Amino acid sequence: MFDAVITDQTENATTEGGIVPRATIRDMVRRRQAALDAFLMAHTVMTDAAKALPVAWSAYQAIGPGKENAYTQMTKEEDQHFLHHIQIPDLAAYQTTARKVVDRRMWSSLIELTELEKLMDKQAKDELRKQLMDNPPEATEENIFATLQTFAADAGTIFKRGIANCFSKLDRRFRSHNGWKIGSRVVLSYAFDEWGSWSYGRNHRDTLHDIDRTFHVMDGGKTPEVYGGIVAAIDESRRGGGFGRRQSECESDYFKIRCFKNGNAHVWFKRDDLVEKVNKLLAE
């Protein structure tokens, strides 16, 4: 179903989007360490500055009595801001935060570099976002390749899980009497917010991507770009329509979609043969 694999060799990692040389990842890991070292140096410099500032403060006070008068009143705010003491963060807490910030950027860059999102369903993306927000894993060479290997090995299972999740959680009124089958359409409730933009609380962009890639793969094609395909078509149909609640309509080879002012999106399936194939997978 997917041609995405991560090789066991030492030279390359391969995803559906192409080959990622191990040297590239190794270089990114070196840059990560350089960033962590630079932040540690920054903390050292801040600590030295905090020690030097009282000396400068004493020299400043030695100039004269320093009473406020008509010549300094207008610059009082600027003077106080400049002379404000530096608050040095706790070293351990600073390093922990630096590690999280750097590793979030590392994983974000790796996801784009390897096109890893094409292997992930909505559930995997939501779980990864939460992990990166709470406590991102250390982006070491070993962790990176282990993650790529895992997603590649589980691609088929993740694909089927994405089908089950995105269709089984839809409004039951728009499924067939059998809860594990889909009919001619589905409804994505509150896909758009009151400003007419995608609702990130529901995150139905990823739901639509799962549906879109399901039909592409069932038809023997490749996975569309993460926010390409029908998602891009919807964005294009709503571009230039101003802000706020509004209706729009678009179509692709597989779907016809209408977006309504109440924020819902209705998705009609145009290929009955592919709906039948999806239902067979759902039955699993």
Side-chain angles (χ1 to χ4, degrees):
M1 186 173 294
F2 283 100
D3 59 0
V5 294
I6 305 296
T7 65
D8 290 329
Q9 306 301 317
T10 59
E11 296 303 321
N12 301 309
T14 307
T15 69
E16 189 184 44
I19 295 177
V20 183
R22 182 177 285 269
T24 299
I25 293 178
R26 192 170 288 146
D27 182 59
M28 292 181 69
V29 171
R30 281 196 292 266
R31 294 181 188 181
R32 168 189 180 265
Q33 188 58 53
L36 293 175
D37 291 343
F39 278 114
L40 179 59
M41 178 62 70
H43 189 278
T44 301
V45 172
M46 284 190 288
T47 302
D48 290 341
K51 293 176 181 177
L53 193 58
V55 178
W57 175 263
S58 297
Y60 166 78
Q61 288 183 311
I63 293 172
K67 292 182 179 178
E68 239 175 61
N69 55 37
Y71 299 99
T72 59
Q73 178 64 35
M74 299 301 293
T75 61
K76 176 183 176 182
E77 197 171 312
E78 179 184 8
D79 294 348
Q80 288 180 339
H81 178 76
F82 178 77
L83 297 168
H84 187 71
H85 288 289
I86 298 174
Q87 297 296 322
I88 305 301
D90 174 73
L91 177 58
Y94 181 83
Q95 286 184 297
T96 296
T97 302
R99 202 278 301 170
K100 287 182 178 180
V101 169
V102 169
D103 281 336
R104 284 191 193 108
R105 188 171 185 85
M106 275 285 293
W107 287 110
S108 173
S109 298
L110 284 163
I111 289 168
E112 290 187 6
L113 177 67
T114 61
E115 297 189 15
L116 187 61
E117 275 192 307
K118 285 188 176 183
L119 297 181
M120 294 192 291
D121 62 345
K122 182 178 185 295
Q123 179 178 327
K125 291 173 190 172
D126 289 344
E127 289 172 351
L128 182 58
R129 287 190 191 102
K130 187 176 188 310
Q131 186 176 18
L132 292 184
M133 181 176 64
D134 296 342
N135 188 25
E138 289 194 34
T140 63
E141 191 173 340
E142 293 74 16
N143 283 350
I144 291 168
F145 272 85
T147 300
L148 296 177
Q149 293 271 8
T150 298
F151 272 109
D154 294 343
T157 301
I158 293 172
F159 175 73
K160 292 178 181 179
R161 183 184 69 183
I163 296 174
N165 281 343
C166 70
F167 288 117
S168 66
K169 293 178 181 179
L170 296 173
D171 192 324
R172 294 191 65 88
R173 293 173 296 170
F174 301 101
R175 288 188 262 153
S176 65
H177 293 298
N178 183 334
W180 291 103
K181 286 186 178 180
I182 58 171
S184 61
R185 69 165 172 165
V186 293
V187 172
L188 305 179
S189 301
Y190 307 111
F192 302 95
D193 60 27
E194 59 187 297
W195 295 282
S197 302
W198 289 100
S199 172
Y200 288 96
R202 294 286 180 135
N203 200 14
H204 276 316
R205 286 205 307 173
D206 284 341
T207 302
L208 270 172
H209 175 68
D210 282 354
I211 294 174
D212 199 14
R213 75 167 177 162
T214 296
F215 277 73
H216 273 82
V217 172
M218 291 294 96
D219 199 27
K222 289 187 175 182
T223 301
E225 294 299 320
V226 177
Y227 294 130
I230 193 60
V231 174
I234 292 173
D235 287 339
E236 182 62 30
S237 70
R238 296 176 69 78
R239 188 171 289 117
F243 298 97
R245 301 181 187 274
R246 59 191 184 278
Q247 293 188 196
S248 62
E249 186 174 324
C250 67
E251 205 165 335
S252 73
D253 291 339
Y254 304 122
F255 315 105
K256 178 179 180 180
I257 297 184
R258 287 179 182 169
C259 305
F260 296 90
K261 288 185 177 180
N262 63 2
N264 293 349
H266 291 224
V267 183
W268 281 267
F269 305 125
K270 296 167 61 174
R271 293 276 300 273
D272 292 341
D273 59 322
L274 296 181
V275 170
E276 184 178 349
K277 287 183 179 181
V278 171
N279 280 327
K280 285 182 179 178
L281 273 180
L282 282 173
E284 297 182 14

